[in-house]
Structures are given as structure tokens and as C-alpha cells.
């Protein structure tokens, strides 16, 4: 769907300078929303908000439906009365502060028990008048989200009980979800299951309040859906029938991308592939439910690896590289038609980066989805020029870079070739404020309906602020934004730019028709005689 002309910033929630060692949905999130509003920004883009698994990647989540418990604000829980303020201050002394990278191991070790303590307190006291309204909303939430919430709670409790091992290593009665074992689990461990649900409810309450706050400031929240899900996830454990699994529950084929200029062996991501025939037979109900959940949370949704909805690289599950994979067609047109039928207009942005075929582009255009263009990619050979503003169309989202790129300043100093630097100088003629703001201005002044900038670029930070290096298994997703850098001067500079480029939310007058132009010229002529 076409979006109104606007501008926004990309900053994942974990990167907020919240107290407690990781960005969360507390005061720092509202402070950032205020910064966006003062800077004239209309979009806040985040990465997937799901609970993270191995490597702490939001794209390798433990559930495609649940929220990350670590994003729940302990400060807000204390304000609700789930946790005493004395207990909060005591716990904050143990947790890392509001600056420096996220130490996921330390944060999980200290914060997770506190979340469970707060949730248990709420559950034990929910019949008291002070909790009556929230308790009613909790019951309604559990009923509304039951289709995924009950299974996610069971998966979480069982995973912890079995030392966080992959679900296929659990006793067979649980790995295969035998009915008697599942009934026993729900009867004997009901309190633990309710704690997991209460934490999810807290995430939902805090996110909904933040979204309402942003909406009042004309800020849309843009989320992200990873096309594939992790093998070790509540989704595959709950629905093994919709994934390509053998009888012993190991993957038949897994996801990845073929060998290319950057990798002679390709990339083996390892996610189990979908049984698209089974999904189609059920009216794509799992995917419809997933997208319905996303549209409950976000105003706009970026679809990661969009080309996989047209065709995907299928790798034998036992192979260690992606070399012997092959392309398999996906029913993208049928899937999106079903989504439109059940959900209405789809607020999607297609991540169509890399080598994109005519068929993939036709799928995107058939549903009116904007594609993405990254300025950093545009200064190579002539084929790269599709990423430069003079090649854009209006239904486009323009970026200086994404979470997978180095920051623009880091790219300029460490990644750009001399030929690329010469092309930048020729194309942009950077001024006194340097190459980063020259690229920001190039995106803002383009015809693209939306332009989005990583906060690291707006703050002109180098490679030390990079969010993700795709080839690195560890050390990613930990950068946090120092609060003192989000100054009024930066906000005013952004605000001035969005005003002059018509990205400030004020409707742009349409181009007059030839007849209207002729009438205006006639009127002007008459007044000068």
C-alpha cells in the first residue's frame, strides 16, 4: 500500500538507554518518542520484538507471536504495584546501568527472576481492588491470545525444565506433545504457566501504552517480520506438520541463500522450511494469524527476505553449506490474496534487497508494496545505481543504511572503495557537515514516499555503533544509544529537513491539471493589466 510522504528513525528497543542494562518499554522509550516528535519524525522503526534465542538475534526468535520479556520495564511494573520500589532500586544496583552495550547473559540472569517475581505477585494479589481493572484485562488478554499463548507458555516452562535444550531433546512425551503429558503439565504446573502469561500480558500492556503515546504525537510504529522461524521455537514444536520435518522431527530441508560473489558456499541459515501445500490447504491460517498479531502491534510491517515469498533456496537438512540447494517456488500471490481477504489492506514494506528477479518484483507490485533502496549500495558499478535517488519511484522506502550495514560513517572510513568515494563526491558534493548528512539529505529530498535513517547515522557515529555484522555469530545486537547524544540541535536539524522536503505530515498540494494551470495563468494575467 502507498504510504504518506514522511520520515523516520530506526532504533531497536534494546538500544534505548534504559536503566537495567537493556533498552525497554519504560521512561527511555517515551523520551525517544518525544525526541522523534520534536524532530518532525513520523515513523519509529524497530526490529522484531520477539523473545531471542541463540546469539540474541531478534531474527532467530523463540516465538513468532510472543514479546521479548527482557523488554518489559521493571520501573513500570513498580508503578503498577507488581514490584515494590524498594525492590526495584535494590535490583537496579545489581543490573548494568543505562549506558554501554547490552550484556545479555547478565541481564537475563538478573532480570528474568525479577520479572517472574513481579508476575507472581500480581497473580497472587489480582483479586484486590487495586489490581481489579488490570486483572480483568489479563483474563481478556489470555482468552484473546489463547491460540498461541498457551503453547508458548508450555514451551517456555518445558524448555527451562530441560536446561534450555532444543525441544527434540526433551522426553518423547513432551517433544511429541502427547495429550496425557500435556494435560499433566497444565494441571501440575499451572502457576508457572500463568507467570509466563502474565509477563506476556505486561509486555502487551506496556507496548500498547507506548503505541498510544506515539499515536498522539503522530508517530507510527513500524515492525519487522522474519520470513522464517527458528527450529528451536514454540512455533515448530507446536506445529511440526507445517514444516518440512522427517518422522524423527529433524529438518528435511533448511533455509539459506545460494553461493554468490560474497560467499563461495552460500549461506546456510538453518531454519526449517514451510510445507506450503499444507498451509495452502488450511487457507494459510498460521500465516494469517501471524500477520494479524503483527497488525495488532504495529502500524506498518517490514517483511524480511521478501524474495522468499516468490521462491526460496532449499538446502538438504544434513548439508553443512548452501552449495547443493535449489530454488523452489512459493505461493506468494495466493498467500497475500488470502491475507487481504481476511485482514484487508496490507501495511507491508518489502525487503527486496540483493538479486531480485522479475517474478519477485511482479509479486511486490501486484500488491502495491513499497520496496527498499539503500544509499550505501548505490555507488558501485552501473548496476548498483538502482539504489541512487534518480532511479527511485515514489512507492519506495529509502535508507542510508540498515541494521545489517555498517554505519554510514563507518562505511565511509572502513568499507567504501576509492571508486565509491569518488562517486559519492561527484553525486552528492558533501558540504561542511560531511558525507553522512549529505546522504541523509539525498534520501530526504528524493521522491521516495518514506525515508528512514538509523539513529547511528543521524548522530554520525562510526563502526563502534554498528548493530549487526551478518557473518559474525556472536557480539551482535548489543549497541545502545547514549541519551546525551539525542540533543535539541540534532532534533532541530532533522525538523528543518523534513519541513523543507514535505515530510512533516502536512498534506502536499497535488500538481494542478493543465486546465487548472491555464486558469491560474489567465487570472494572474488579468490582475497585472
Amino acid at each position: 500500500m502507498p504510504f504518506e510522504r514522511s520520515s523516520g528513525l530506526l532504533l531497536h528497543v534494546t538500544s534505548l538507554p534504559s536503566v537495567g542494562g537493556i533498552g525497554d518499554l519504560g521512561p527511555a522509550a517515551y523520551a525517544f518518542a518525544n525526541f522523534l516528535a520534536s524532530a518532525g519524525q513520523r515513523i519509529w522503526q524497530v526490529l522484531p520484538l520477539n523473545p531471542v534465542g541463540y546469539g540474541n538475534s531478534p531474527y532467530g526468535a523463540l516465538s513468532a507471536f510472543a514479546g521479548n520479556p527482557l523488554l518489559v520495564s521493571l520501573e513500570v511494573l513498580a508503578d503498577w504495584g507488581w514490584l515494590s520500589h524498594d525492590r526495584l532500586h535494590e535490583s537496579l544496583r545489581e543490573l548494568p546501568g543505562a549506558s554501554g552495550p547490552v550484556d545479555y547473559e547478565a541481564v537475563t540472569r538478573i532480570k528474568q527472576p525479577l520479572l517472574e517475581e513481579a508476575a507472581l505477585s500480581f497473580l497472587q494479589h489480582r483479586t484486590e481492588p487495586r489490581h481489579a481493572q488490570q486483572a480483568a484485562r489479563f483474563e481478556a488478554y489470555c482468552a484473546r491470545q489463547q491460540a498461541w499463548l498457551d503453547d508458548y507458555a508450555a514451551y517456555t516452562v518445558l524448555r527451562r525444565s530441560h536446561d534450555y535444550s532444543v525441544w527434540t531433546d526433551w522426553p518423547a512425551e513432551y517433544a511429541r506433545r502427547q495429550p496425557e503429558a500435556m494435560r499433566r503439565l497444565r494441571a501440575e504446573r499451572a502457576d508457572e504457566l500463568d507467570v509466563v502469561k502474565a509477563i506476556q500480558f505486561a509486555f502487551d500492556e506496556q507496548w500498547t501504552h507506548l503505541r498510544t503515546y506515539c499515536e498522539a504525537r503522530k508517530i507510527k510504529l513500524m515492525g519487522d517480520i522474519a520470513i522464517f522461524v527458528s527450529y528451536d521455537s514454540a512455533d515448530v514444536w507446536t506445529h511440526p506438520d507445517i514444516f518440512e520435518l522427517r518422522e524423527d522431527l529433524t529438518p528435511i530441508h533448511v533455509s539459506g541463500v545460494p553461493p554468490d560473489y560474497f560467499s563461495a558456499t552460500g549461506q546456510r541459515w538453518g531454519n526449517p522450511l514451510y510445507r506450503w501445500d499444507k498451509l495452502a490447504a488450511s487457507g494459510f491460517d498460521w500465516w494469517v494469524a501471524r500477520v494479524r498479531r503483527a497488525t495488532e502491534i504495529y502500524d506498518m510491517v517490514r517483511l524480511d527476505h521478501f524474495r522468499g515469498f516468490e521462491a526460496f533456496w532449499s538446502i538438504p537438512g544434513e548439508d553443512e553449506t548452501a552449495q547443493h540447494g535449489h530454488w523452489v517456488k512459493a505461493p506468494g500471490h495466493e498467500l497475500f490474496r488470502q491475507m487481504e481477504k481476511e485482514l484487508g489492506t496490507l501495511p507491508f514494506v518489502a525487503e527486496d534487497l540483493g538479486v531480485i528477479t522479475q517474478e519477485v518484483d511482479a509479486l511486490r507490485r501486484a500488491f502495491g508494496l513499497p520496496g527498499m533502496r539503500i544509499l550505501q549500495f548505490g555507488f558501485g558499478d552501473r548496476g548498483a545505481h538502482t539504489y541512487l535517488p534518480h532511479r527511485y519511484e515514489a512507492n519506495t522506502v529509502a535508507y542510508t543504511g540498515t541494521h545489517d550495514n555498517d554505519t554510514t560513517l563507518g562505511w565511509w572510513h572502513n568499507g567504501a572503495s576509492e571508486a565509491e568515494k569518488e562517486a559519492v563526491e561527484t553525486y552528492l558534493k558533501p558540504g561542511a557537515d560531511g558525507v553522512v548528512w549529505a546522504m541523509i539529505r539525498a534520501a530526504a529530498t528524493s521522491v521516495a514516499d518514506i525515508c528512514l535513517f538509523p539513529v547511528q547515522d543521524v548522530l554520525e557515529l562510526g563502526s563502534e555503533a554498528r548493530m549487526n555484522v551478518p557473518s559474525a555469530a556472536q557480539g551482535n545486537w548489543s549497541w545502545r544509544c547514549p541519551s546525551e547524544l539525542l540533543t535539541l540541535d540534532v532534533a532541530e536539524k532533522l525538523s528543518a529537513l523534513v519541513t523543507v522536503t514535505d515530510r512533516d505530515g502536512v498534506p502536499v498540494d497535488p500538481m494542478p491539471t493543465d486546465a487548472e494551470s491555464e486558469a491560474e495563468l489567465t487570472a494572474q494575467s488579468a490582475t497585472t493589466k
Side-chain angles (χ1 to χ4, degrees):
M1 61 177 287
F3 295 100
E4 66 179 11
R5 186 171 174 84
S6 55
S7 172
L9 300 183
L10 165 59
L11 182 74
H12 192 37
V13 176
T14 60
S15 295
L16 290 165
S18 307
V19 300
I22 188 171
D24 61 31
L25 301 176
Y30 293 85
F32 185 66
N34 291 337
F35 175 83
L36 288 169
S38 65
Q41 303 301 298
R42 295 287 176 256
I43 300 170
W44 178 358
Q45 182 184 351
V46 299
L47 306 182
L49 297 175
N50 312 102
V52 298
Y54 175 76
N56 304 308
S57 170
Y59 294 92
L62 300 174
S63 167
F65 291 81
N68 186 348
L70 297 181
L71 303 184
V72 174
S73 167
L74 293 171
E75 294 168 280
V76 175
L77 294 184
D79 290 341
W80 290 351
W82 289 30
L83 194 70
S84 73
H85 283 279
D86 288 343
R87 184 74 176 99
L88 170 66
H89 295 314
E90 174 190 330
S91 65
L92 291 180
R93 285 197 292 270
E94 300 178 60
L95 286 163
S99 61
V102 179
D103 182 340
Y104 283 94
E105 183 179 349
V107 169
T108 302
R109 184 180 68 252
I110 300 169
K111 185 171 183 176
Q112 184 64 34
L114 287 166
L115 292 170
E116 292 169 6
E117 177 185 324
L120 184 59
S121 174
F122 163 68
L123 291 168
Q124 291 173 338
H125 298 282
R126 59 179 154 168
T127 58
E128 297 175 8
R130 62 190 175 119
H131 289 310
Q133 290 185 346
Q134 257 194 336
R137 291 200 301 275
F138 172 61
E139 295 300 327
Y141 169 81
C142 290
R144 190 170 62 251
Q145 304 298 341
Q146 183 180 14
W148 65 267
L149 183 60
D150 286 358
D151 289 311
Y152 170 73
Y155 169 84
T156 302
V157 169
L158 286 169
R159 186 170 180 266
R160 181 172 53 201
S161 300
H162 295 95
D163 201 25
Y164 301 97
S165 60
V166 63
W167 58 271
T168 49
D169 291 340
W170 303 347
E173 61 178 352
Y174 292 124
R176 295 185 178 273
R177 297 172 54 85
Q178 293 175 3
E180 179 55 36
M182 297 305 295
R183 280 194 294 269
R184 190 169 64 249
L185 173 74
R186 293 188 170 104
E188 295 176 357
R189 307 184 72 172
D191 290 346
E192 292 177 69
L193 297 171
D194 282 347
V195 164
V196 176
K197 295 176 187 179
I199 293 173
Q200 285 300 304
F201 168 68
F203 172 89
D204 197 81
E205 287 270 285
Q206 292 186 10
W207 178 260
T208 299
H209 193 277
L210 177 63
R211 185 177 179 185
T212 301
Y213 189 86
C214 288
E215 184 179 11
R217 286 149 185 81
K218 300 181 180 179
I219 297 166
K220 293 181 177 180
L221 288 164
M222 178 175 170
D224 200 325
I225 289 182
I227 181 174
F228 299 116
V229 300
S230 295
Y231 178 59
D232 187 12
S233 67
D235 309 286
V236 181
W237 175 65
T238 304
H239 304 286
D241 57 309
I242 66 171
F243 296 93
E244 291 193 24
L245 304 182
R246 297 185 177 90
E247 181 59 32
D248 66 357
L249 301 176
T250 58
I252 301 171
H253 297 97
V254 296
S255 65
V257 290
D260 57 18
Y261 174 80
F262 300 100
S263 173
T265 60
Q267 296 179 41
R268 183 190 186 278
W269 297 338
N271 312 84
L273 298 177
Y274 298 106
R275 292 187 187 272
W276 282 113
D277 56 339
K278 295 223 171 196
L279 284 165
S282 67
F284 301 102
D285 55 357
W286 183 86
W287 261 103
V288 170
R290 186 183 186 189
V291 171
R292 179 179 287 113
R293 172 71 174 155
T295 56
E296 290 172 356
I297 296 173
Y298 308 117
D299 301 296
M300 306 161 62
V301 179
R302 172 187 178 272
L303 292 179
D304 189 51
H305 195 59
F306 178 78
R307 76 103 57 243
F309 291 105
E310 193 281 325
F312 53 90
W313 190 245
S314 176
I315 305 166
E318 63 275 10
D319 283 14
E320 295 183 0
T321 73
Q323 289 171 282
H324 302 299
H326 63 284
W327 288 109
V328 178
K329 287 290 183 181
H333 287 273
E334 294 86 350
L335 172 64
F336 291 125
R337 276 198 293 268
Q338 186 67 21
M339 287 183 186
E340 281 191 333
K341 178 182 176 181
E342 299 206 30
L343 304 175
T345 303
L346 303 174
F348 290 158
V349 170
E351 184 274 285
D352 58 344
L353 306 176
V355 179
I356 299 299
T357 64
Q358 291 182 348
E359 291 82 1
V360 176
D361 199 51
L363 174 63
R364 180 182 67 80
R365 292 180 184 279
F367 294 90
L369 310 183
M372 290 173 52
R373 293 295 177 265
I374 314 300
L375 259 74
Q376 283 187 30
F377 295 167
F379 298 98
D381 59 24
R382 193 175 185 88
H385 292 174
T386 55
Y387 290 100
L388 294 180
H390 70 278
R391 300 281 293 275
Y392 293 173
E393 58 185 45
N395 195 28
T396 295
V397 182
Y399 291 80
T400 48
T402 73
H403 62 275
D404 283 332
N405 296 99
D406 201 346
T407 68
T408 295
L409 188 63
W411 169 79
W412 181 251
H413 287 309
N414 305 314
S417 67
E418 289 304 314
E420 286 176 311
K421 289 184 178 181
E422 289 178 9
V424 170
E425 296 284 354
T426 300
Y427 194 88
L428 298 178
K429 291 294 182 186
D433 57 357
V435 68
V436 178
W437 274 91
M439 291 183 71
I440 290 173
R441 281 191 294 272
T445 56
S446 74
V447 298
D449 286 335
I450 296 174
C451 62
L452 292 167
F453 313 118
V455 163
Q456 295 96 314
D457 284 355
V458 170
L459 300 179
E460 300 181 85
L461 300 178
S463 298
E464 75 283 354
R466 184 169 183 170
M467 190 63 168
N468 181 45
V469 180
S471 59
Q474 299 291 332
N476 292 319
W477 317 109
S478 61
W479 178 76
R480 286 207 292 162
C481 178
S483 59
E484 66 272 12
L485 299 184
L486 298 172
T487 65
L488 181 60
D489 287 344
V490 175
E492 289 178 344
K493 189 170 185 177
L494 277 170
S495 180
L497 181 60
V498 300
T499 298
V500 77
T501 57
D502 298 324
R503 297 185 181 276
D504 54 2
V506 177
V508 180
D509 291 335
M511 290 289 290
T513 64
D514 290 343
E516 289 171 334
S517 297
E518 185 175 347
E520 176 64 21
L521 289 171
T522 300
Q524 290 180 15
S525 177
T527 60
T528 58
K529 290 181 179 178

